[in-house]
Amino acid sequence: MSTSNLSNAPLLVVGAGIMGAGIAQVAAQAGHTVLLHDARPGAAAEAISKLAKSLDGLVAKGKLSAESVTQTLARISAVGAIEEAAPVRLVVEAIVEQLDAKRALFKQLEAIVAPDCVLATNTSSISVTAIANGLTHPGRLVGMHFFNPVPLMKLVEVVSGLQTDAAVAEAIFELSKAWGKTPVHARSTPGFIVNRIARPYYAETMALLQEQAATPAVLDACLRAVGFRMGPCELMDLIGHDTNFSVTRSVYEANFYDKRFVPSLVQREMVDGGLLGRKTGKGFYDYAEGAVRPAISAHVAGEFPQARRLCLHGSGPVADRFAAALGAAGLSFGRAPASSWVGIEADGAQLRLTDGRTAAQIGAPAAAPLGTQAVEVSSTTSESGRGVDVAVFDLPLGAEPGAALAWSVSPAASAAWAAAAPQWLRAAGFNAQQVADAPGLVVARTVAMLINEAADAVHQGVCSTEGADAAMKLGVNYPAGPFEWLARWDAQGVITVLEQLDAWYRGERYRVSPWLRGQASLAASRSGAGA
Ligand code: NAD
């Protein structure tokens, strides 16, 4: 099967719902003759007239020419009997998300279309391998997973099941490109790429909510500061908690109840209570008319506090950012570039970039609590034997001045340090948002987990690193791909945060991907070789 086989091939789209109609539109706009079929009589014709209306609207706005719309619509026709589709060379299925229904449809289709007709499924969660089971030619069945709304979203996950012919996957890959999409290859595993790698974006926020570490508004603001278009809470409210919960649950169940994917009781309760988000008027936020969205405290720049002895620890982009801010304020400070931590030491008190430990753990006079991995190099015990005043701040991935940044202080720290620590952050240009002293704060733990999940997907052959990056940026509009974040951080840093989270919580959620460990070893041996 070659690409040229499918370019301009007549195709059948089965299922004239939201996805089927979008797929029909994109295929017709790319020049294909499209037959649209739906089990519900009249549904395909209705979908075409709805499409005509929306395309006319785009003509009125000057986004499409009347001529191109006439041509697009002339290429699409509704078919009442699926048998009328016998001559097509490609079928794209977008029917109800049920294995039995999809299997039965493809079996029926095999008796109608030619043996070399490609069969594609738009399933978002069902195993492509399982859908192909029972077909006479299972090699021609492939996943062609579009994202909603189909005409706008660029990503197509081209999903290969165990028996999918590589040439068939390649033909769909090339066809997707011809349709103006960015395809990525994926192996048929639960959640494919996007729905799997995205799980921690929701899960880490819900874990923090469950332990009352921060409010939805603060969590959303901290993650929006990284460049996410929507914070996790507002996004779950938009998706609908029922839908989001059921995807999480299906990934969890499909992974044999791997604790890494365990759904949240917080969301379960919201679903049980009918607080489904925007569609029911209430989720994390209230959508009733006139309801006021809780705001976070605004950024107030302010000046750096006074300090007799000031030292900037560590090196890299975060240390550089502080160095620039301190320098601009005309402060004189020492540097400890080889320090084991990054941040500011002011008269012995420490404001540190999170390494996954809580401020209390770092500030405790004794060694870290039993079971934690020792990553500390410098002493945190003051001469008096009391702990050191410690506050930690989150990974500042957001570049905007005044970006929200989570921080926490050890409950054992002095009141003076608890008041001064956020002033240092504000003066350095961050909108400091205090959260409970939770390990890994907000961004560091979320991004570490997104990287970790992506690393496992690569390790298990689900996708390539480039595929994962493209999928997350195009499928869910992430501001960067997980491996792009990794390139700005470093594998050992991510591992350290994950190990601290694992030591704190126990369980399987934070186990480190072997792929990441491999990258860290590689980096260590390279730097050893260079030394
Ligand atoms: P939908 O409910 O809007 O449309 C499904 C259509 O299929 C309906 O018109 C229904 O009458 C028809 N149908 C059901 N069984 C049929 C059968 N046996 N033969 C012919 N027609 C049949 O659903 P949707 O949101 O368009 O989703 C369709 C598929 O796309 C599902 O597999 C879904 O998981 C997947 N998907 C959905 C989204 C999304 O955001 N909605 C995104 C990606 C993938």
Side-chain angles (χ1 to χ4, degrees):
M1 185 110 10
S2 75
T3 311
S4 56
N5 268 351
L6 293 181
S7 55
N8 297 319
L11 68 105
L12 167 70
V13 176
V14 190
I18 186 156
M19 296 305 286
I23 295 164
Q25 176 190 335
V26 169
Q29 282 174 325
H32 294 257
T33 299
V34 181
L35 303 179
L36 185 59
H37 171 77
D38 197 284
R40 186 169 66 78
E46 276 167 35
I48 295 171
S49 44
K50 222 169 131 187
L51 173 62
K53 266 196 203 133
S54 93
L55 292 179
D56 283 346
L58 293 175
V59 173
K61 284 186 192 157
K63 293 193 171 165
L64 289 176
S65 71
E67 195 194 349
S68 74
V69 167
T70 308
Q71 285 173 353
T72 299
L73 290 171
R75 292 187 194 113
I76 311 179
S77 45
V79 287
I82 204 164
E83 287 74 14
E84 290 175 48
V88 300
R89 285 166 42 217
L90 167 66
V91 177
V92 184
E93 166 275 312
I95 68 166
V96 63
E97 187 73 343
Q98 282 169 13
L99 175 60
D100 289 349
K102 289 187 193 286
R103 268 188 184 157
L105 173 69
F106 283 117
K107 242 181 148 34
Q108 184 190 5
L109 280 164
E110 272 206 315
I112 297 169
V113 297
D116 64 348
C117 172
V118 171
L119 304 177
T121 171
N122 182 46
T123 181
S124 41
S125 62
I126 302 173
S127 154
V128 170
T129 303
I131 295 173
N133 186 358
L135 291 185
T136 310
H137 301 292
R140 59 165 147 173
L141 189 113
V142 63
M144 190 178 194
H145 184 209
F146 290 88
F147 288 72
N148 188 16
V150 179
L152 297 184
M153 298 299 281
K154 288 275 176 210
L155 180 67
V156 175
E157 290 180 337
V158 179
V159 187
S160 291
L162 214 49
Q163 300 197 72
T164 304
D165 187 334
V168 167
E170 210 45 51
I172 290 295
F173 189 91
E174 291 301 325
L175 183 71
S176 304
K177 282 207 267 184
W179 290 5
K181 301 296 179 193
T182 304
V184 293
H185 284 293
R187 217 160 56 76
S188 182
T189 48
F192 308 141
I193 306 174
V194 170
N195 278 338
R196 172 197 182 146
I197 296 177
R199 292 339 307 151
Y201 189 59
Y202 314 109
E204 289 313 302
T205 273
M206 281 182 300
L208 287 165
L209 287 170
Q210 188 163 22
E211 59 185 71
Q212 307 175 78
T215 62
V218 166
L219 292 165
D220 279 349
C222 290
L223 284 151
R224 264 199 320 264
V226 172
F228 288 99
R229 286 196 198 163
M230 296 181 96
C233 297
E234 51 195 353
L235 182 55
M236 283 183 272
D237 272 5
L238 178 71
I239 293 168
H241 288 278
D242 50 346
T243 306
N244 189 260
F245 186 66
S246 98
V247 175
T248 304
R249 224 173 137 153
S250 89
V251 171
Y252 174 54
E253 288 168 10
N255 280 291
F256 302 116
Y257 301 94
D258 184 342
K259 294 280 184 226
R260 184 173 188 118
F261 301 105
V262 76
S264 165
L265 281 176
V266 172
Q267 193 167 41
R268 171 72 198 247
E269 199 178 12
M270 293 177 78
V271 172
D272 286 350
L275 282 81
L276 304 183
R278 283 184 191 226
K279 62 182 162 190
T280 57
K282 205 163 184 182
F284 287 120
Y285 301 106
D286 189 346
Y287 297 91
E289 223 179 294
V292 180
R293 174 80 74 94
I296 61 160
S297 52
H299 177 52
V300 188
E303 298 200 340
F304 283 109
Q306 302 282 327
R308 276 169 283 117
R309 281 178 296 117
L310 189 59
C311 181
L312 180 58
H313 284 250
S315 57
V318 177
D320 292 346
R321 201 158 159 171
F322 274 100
L326 293 171
L331 297 182
S332 54
F333 55 96
R335 297 230 29 184
S339 173
S340 62
W341 57 276
V342 174
I344 286 172
E345 185 174 6
D347 295 332
Q350 299 178 357
L351 176 63
R352 294 170 166 235
L353 172 65
T354 178
D355 63 8
R357 286 178 299 169
T358 63
Q361 273 180 297
I362 297 168
L370 266 185
T372 58
Q373 305 254 342
V375 292
E376 181 58 7
V377 175
S378 67
S379 163
T380 50
T381 305
S382 69
E383 280 163 22
S384 67
R386 187 178 76 77
V388 165
D389 276 349
V390 173
V392 289
F393 61 93
D394 208 354
L395 187 66
L397 284 179
E400 295 291 311
L405 188 76
W407 72 281
S408 71
V409 67
S410 163
S414 67
W417 184 236
Q423 283 185 45
W424 287 96
L425 290 173
R426 286 189 204 110
F430 298 107
N431 182 3
Q433 295 294 323
Q434 186 170 8
V435 300
D437 195 21
L441 295 169
V442 180
V443 171
R445 72 193 271 166
T446 303
V447 171
M449 284 295 278
L450 290 169
I451 292 171
N452 199 37
E453 200 50 56
D456 253 3
V458 169
H459 187 62
Q460 293 159 11
V462 176
C463 57
S464 63
T465 55
E466 297 79 12
D469 282 347
M472 301 317 287
K473 287 194 289 184
L474 299 175
V476 273
N477 293 320
Y478 279 14
F483 295 98
E484 291 172 345
W485 279 315
L486 178 62
R488 285 188 238 159
W489 201 347
D490 71 297
Q492 189 49 55
V494 178
I495 290 172
T496 302
V497 167
L498 293 169
E499 283 182 336
Q500 297 301 348
L501 284 159
D502 184 49
W504 187 261
Y505 291 109
R506 295 297 183 199
E508 292 293 311
R509 192 192 285 282
Y510 300 102
R511 68 169 185 263
V512 176
S513 167
W515 188 91
L516 262 185
R517 289 200 193 281
Q519 292 297 303
S521 308
L522 206 62
S525 60
R526 279 195 189 128
S527 72

